[in-house]
Amino acid sequence: MKIRAAMQELQRAGFDRVLPSVWSSGTTFHVSFYAPVEPQLKKAGLDLDPICAIAEEGLKRGIKVMPWFDEYDLMEPSDSEVVQRTP
């Protein structure tokens, strides 16, 4: 399973938390009663809920999983202080 391998790699690299996106362009990356499922996920089959799978794998490895609802990620001008300090 790709999620298991990815979480193992993150654990080996020393990550202690992940923030999987749960929303993009008006669709979800998990089964939802309120919004449509992302088309590629639906096409692949809804027998896997990626957010739940990531949470389960994180729990096994002591990695906190914090689902992230953010349509546009961090948008800052390239000359802003935060981008200059941490590009």
Side-chain angles (χ1 to χ4, degrees):
M1 171 186 279
K2 292 180 183 183
I3 291 173
R4 181 176 297 130
M7 294 298 283
Q8 285 175 337
E9 187 173 339
L10 290 171
Q11 182 183 26
R12 283 194 300 270
F15 282 77
D16 65 354
R17 69 196 67 208
V18 295
L19 288 84
S21 180
V22 297
W23 177 268
S24 178
S25 300
T27 62
T28 65
F29 293 114
H30 60 286
V31 178
S32 171
F33 294 111
Y34 305 104
V37 174
E38 204 283 323
Q40 291 296 334
L41 178 59
K42 191 172 188 175
K43 185 178 179 181
L46 294 176
D47 57 325
L48 168 70
D49 185 326
I51 303 304
C52 287
I54 291 168
E56 289 172 4
E57 290 297 323
L59 187 61
K60 291 177 190 175
R61 292 168 172 65
I63 297 173
K64 292 181 181 178
V65 176
M66 302 160 61
W68 184 252
F69 178 90
D70 188 34
E71 183 70 15
Y72 298 104
D73 300 320
L74 176 63
M75 296 183 78
E76 288 287 328
S78 61
D79 61 349
S80 71
E81 183 180 346
V82 68
V83 173
Q84 294 299 313
R85 280 189 289 140
T86 54

